[in-house]
Structures are given as structure tokens and as C-alpha cells.
Amino acid sequence: MSNSNNQNSRRDFIKKSSLAVGSFFIVPRHVLGKGFIAPSDKLNIAAIGAGGKGQSDIINAYNNGASNVVALCDVDWARAKTAIDKFPKAKKFRDFRVMLDEMRSDIDAVTISTPDHFHAYAAMACMQLGKHVYVQKPLTHNIAEARMLTKAAQKYKVVTQMGNQGSSNPAQQVAIKWFEEGKIGTVNTVNIWTNRPVWPQGIPVPTDKPPLIDSMSPQDWDVWVGPAQWVDYHPLYHPFKWRGWWNFGTGALGDIGCHTIDSAFRILGLSYPTEVECSVGAVFIKDWTPEYIPEGCPPSSHVEIKFPATKKNKSAVKMIWMDGGIRPMHPDLIPANEAISNDGGANGIILTGTKGIMTIGMYGNDPKIYLNSGEKIEMPKAQNEVKSLPEYGHQISWTEACKAGFNSKEHKGLTSSFDYSGPLTETVLMGNLAIRSYMLRKKNEKGNLDFYGRNKLIWNGESMKITNFDDANQFVGRQYREGWKIIES
């Protein structure tokens, strides 16, 4: 993403080369002026990734016509068919760089709903053009990118929101109020768990080379791989199973952590953690020999992340994350025949305090308190059943903030702008840093392979560095494919 004054040459190059992989041309925001809102007072929105979750993101941002959808970009138009059919007047693109080059003056804001590895690259390109961005969770593929986007949102003065829609759930505010009223006292332990992965994970890397699907060209696949290291197409990557591979995804933590860790992060006022440690599930195909698949996320993991005391919570906190269907046992305060979360125990959060515990479901739903005295506190039934806007109005509030502008009260009222969701994402991805370090191995002096990264890792959040095991720091960022490096300008 380098700067250049030769816009016409760049545009000609794009047209002639059909966008061979290369750095995206960025015009600094000050060149473009402030004309981001259409004269009709409707926001002009584009989508990068219009299938899957991208479909609901752009439809919710459209808000029944309150905004204009002017462009849709997806490398697989078959996946994006619903959005394409709904917005027939929107221009269609297969490469977002072409879209931004041709329509930079027609777009005010962009929803980005791609696989995780593409989030930061696309978001930075849009922000450098002064476009407001809504980016699906997790905000980025790695910690360094999350810090980068957090800073860029302030630098380019754009309105941002991450797609963890539960942060806009009114039930979250009830849980926050209960905690601030001191109902459960000071919290020292948080348990969070999920039944994810619900896609293949912990499996061998595919070695066969099936033909590319009819709805994509080789050029489309090249764009899909984007900043990740090159691999040939395989259905174990596209359209959904990319989540289980470190090259593209962030595993169960990346999928669900920004929803569930968010509740504890928000309620307790947490910031950078200080240490992390983990263990992961092993896969045995041969007797006595665990599979070694560093390219893939594990089938299950147990991660402990520690945080210092905060202004809101005067105790250090140990956060325990479990995935792969592993979950904590019933706390004594919850009756034996009562599920520990509102979805039968599949996903949930338990905050353990000095006066009792608070349980919270997925997306911040259905908070409950079980006090040491035996009393149970629940949301009033009518309040718990209130029907909200789609996804609690999470995309709609972002579009209204975009129209109001950077640092407006609407912007400041967003629940997951990058100043908040950036540090949250860093915490989520800290678990993945530990998991990837756990799988590091090398030969010892006897020629045997040792897993040498299976220790507690000490983290300096300000400097983004593991201080006691330098090899872990390779997972703070990533190596970008040639021509796809993100350059901050």
C-alpha cells in the first residue's frame, strides 16, 4: 500500500493487468476533502465480502433503504448471490482494489466481511482513503494488525465498528449495571467456553489438488489468498473451513472469543493481559504418536490469561478459556439440574466474585446472578423477551455514526469502535499466540524432538512483546505474501 501521485498510470495498469497481485495505491485522506456524505443524506456503502456473514452485514447496514448500497465485491459471486439479487443497481467487483480505484469518490463507508486474514489489509486500504469501516470479528488475524488498525482509526479520523454484535445487546448493559452496583462483589476468576470448532480442525494439511470451483477463476483465488502464504485451492479452505488453518483463520478463539470475552472485558474494564499459558488437545491417528500439524488450529484448547486489577475491579483476574466442547463444571451456586448457560451449556461465561457469580450467554444474552446467600437474580421476563433491531442495531448504529462524523456523540456511543475492539481483539489473539507457541518444537542434543514452548508466557502489552520466550514473538505479527504487505502511511 504505497503512496503515488500517478493515479492515471495506476488506473491504466490495473485495467491492463486485470490486477496482478501488487500493493494497493492509496491517496492520503487530506487530498480527498470531507465530502463523505451523499447530498441525499444517505450513506453510500460498499461491501468487501458479500456472501456468508457479509450478506447480513450489508443488508443490516442498508437498513431498509436508509443507506445506499453502491458496490458489492466478492471473489465468489455464487456465494454472494443473495446480496447481488437484493441490490441489483450496485456495481459488482471481484477485486476490492479495483472497486476502490474506480469508485473512491462514490463510497462513504465499507463493510468488510472476509476471512480473518484479509481484514486488516482491506480495512487499512479503506481507512487510508478516508472511508468509514465496519469489520467482522475478530478485527484482525494477529495482534500487530489489531494495534495497527486501532491507531489508524484515529489517524485517518474514520468511524469504525467491529462485528461483535452482542456488544450492542441491551442485556449487556444490565450485566454491567449489576456489577457496578456491587451485586457479585470483586471478581477474581472468569470462565468462558464454547462448543466451537464446528468445522474440521486438528486434521492433516490437504495434499490433493482438486479443480477450482466454477464460480471462481485462478485470479479470484489469488485475490482470496491475498496477504496469506500461497496455497492451492481446496474445499478445506473455501468457503467456510478456512477458520481452522492459521494461514487464514484464528480458530475457535477468533470465531467466538470476541463475542464472549467481550462481556468480561467490558464489565470488568480489562485492558492488556500480563501473562498467558495453555494446553491443547492432541490427535492420534497412529498409536502413541500424536499428529504434528502446526499449520492447523487444534481440536480443543485450554487457555489461561491473567489481567491486573482495574479501576472497576480491585482484584487481579484469571480468565480461563475452553473450546472444543470442553466446559467448566457446575459451580456450587448453580442448582445441579440447571444448565450453566442459556443454550444448554454449549457456550457461556461465568464471573466468580466475592458475593456470588454472574452467568452470561452468547452475545451477552440472559445474564443471571447466583448469590452466596442462595438468592437468584434474573432480568425481568418482559425485558428479556424484547425484540430488538437485527443484531441489536449494531450495523445501523455504525451507519448513523458515519453520517454524524468522527468524534460525534453517535460515534462515541458505538459499543465496539476500534479504540475498544482493538485491545479486545489483542486479548483474544493472545490465546492463539500461546497455542501456536505450544506447538513449537526442535531437536535437542540427543536428536529427539522437544516441544520447547510449553511454558507460561509473560506479556508486555505496551511494547507488544513476550518478554521471557522470544520465539513466541514471531506470532505477534505475520509474514505477508510478496506484494501484499500492509504499509502504514
Side-chain angles (χ1 to χ4, degrees), residues 238-476:
H238 175 73
F240 177 67
K241 299 176 180 62
W242 52 265
R243 292 185 180 277
W245 304 101
W246 294 124
N247 200 24
F248 308 119
T250 50
L253 263 160
D255 183 48
I256 295 300
C258 288
H259 292 308
T260 51
I261 291 176
D262 171 48
S263 293
F265 205 81
R266 191 178 301 274
I267 290 168
L268 301 177
L270 300 177
S271 186
Y272 299 137
T274 55
E275 57 187 70
V276 61
E277 190 170 6
C278 78
S279 63
V280 305
V283 175
F284 286 82
I285 296 175
K286 300 177 182 179
D287 294 350
W288 302 103
T289 306
E291 292 294 301
Y292 181 63
I293 311 168
E295 302 88 349
C297 309
S300 60
S301 70
H302 176 284
V303 179
E304 292 192 3
I305 305 175
K306 292 186 179 178
F307 300 85
T310 68
K311 292 180 179 179
K312 294 184 69 175
N313 188 68
K314 304 304 181 183
S315 170
V317 172
K318 179 168 68 174
M319 180 182 290
I320 303 168
W321 165 274
M322 302 180 199
D323 60 44
I326 307 300
R327 68 181 199 186
M329 301 300 105
H330 259 70
D332 291 339
L333 292 176
I334 298 181
N337 293 330
E338 185 174 333
I340 59 175
S341 66
N342 65 344
D343 60 359
N347 307 273
I349 308 150
I350 299 176
L351 289 80
T352 301
T354 52
K355 298 180 182 178
I357 63 174
M358 184 189 301
T359 66
I360 306 171
M362 182 76 86
Y363 310 118
N365 279 321
D366 198 25
K368 298 184 182 72
I369 287 178
Y370 301 81
L371 295 175
N372 295 344
S373 64
E375 181 186 357
K376 180 179 178 181
I377 302 173
E378 299 182 78
M379 288 177 62
K381 185 175 181 181
Q383 186 178 4
N384 217 2
E385 293 179 350
V386 169
K387 300 298 182 184
S388 182
L389 293 167
E391 296 195 353
Y392 317 107
H394 197 58
Q395 296 91 347
I396 294 171
S397 61
W398 167 70
T399 60
E400 292 303 305
C402 292
K403 289 190 285 187
F406 181 79
N407 263 347
S408 63
K409 65 181 178 61
E410 290 85 354
H411 179 201
K412 293 177 180 179
L414 292 176
T415 58
S416 205
S417 57
F418 291 179
D419 57 326
Y420 172 83
S421 57
L424 168 62
T425 299
E426 289 188 35
T427 291
V428 171
L429 299 179
M430 176 59 58
N432 282 341
L433 181 150
I435 291 169
R436 298 190 74 178
S437 299
Y438 188 87
M439 296 308 296
L440 289 173
R441 70 180 188 179
K442 64 182 178 181
K443 286 185 178 181
N444 59 26
E445 62 276 5
K446 296 181 180 180
N448 298 320
L449 289 168
D450 283 342
F451 287 94
Y452 67 106
R454 297 185 173 182
N455 303 305
K456 180 185 293 185
L457 303 177
I458 308 302
W459 178 246
N460 184 316
E462 292 296 331
S463 63
M464 286 194 300
K465 187 175 182 180
I466 296 293
T467 60
N468 66 324
F469 181 57
D470 192 54
D471 281 6
N473 289 310
Q474 65 186 288
F475 303 120
V476 172

Side-chain angles (χ1 to χ4, degrees), residues 88-155:
K89 294 182 180 180
K91 292 186 178 180
K92 299 191 294 294
F93 297 88
R94 290 184 176 272
D95 190 314
F96 87 100
R97 298 167 299 181
V98 178
M99 180 183 77
L100 291 181
D101 190 75
E102 292 185 7
M103 298 191 65
R104 66 178 67 216
S105 61
D106 301 316
I107 295 170
D108 303 315
V110 184
T111 62
I112 299 170
S113 311
T114 65
D116 301 347
H117 72 290
F118 217 93
H119 288 182
Y121 189 88
M124 183 63 81
C126 293
M127 288 194 290
Q128 287 176 337
L129 289 174
K131 309 306 179 187
H132 308 299
V133 291
Y134 179 100
V135 183
Q136 255 309 317
K137 54 77 196 169
L139 182 59
T140 59
H141 180 265
N142 56 69
I143 293 169
E145 290 177 344
R147 187 73 59 93
M148 188 188 305
L149 291 196
T150 302
K151 292 178 179 179
Q154 293 297 316
K155 178 179 180 178

Side-chain angles (χ1 to χ4, degrees), residues 204-211 231-237:
V205 177
T207 57
D208 58 320
K209 295 184 179 181
V231 294
D232 291 313
Y233 164 80
H234 200 282
L236 283 174
Y237 302 135

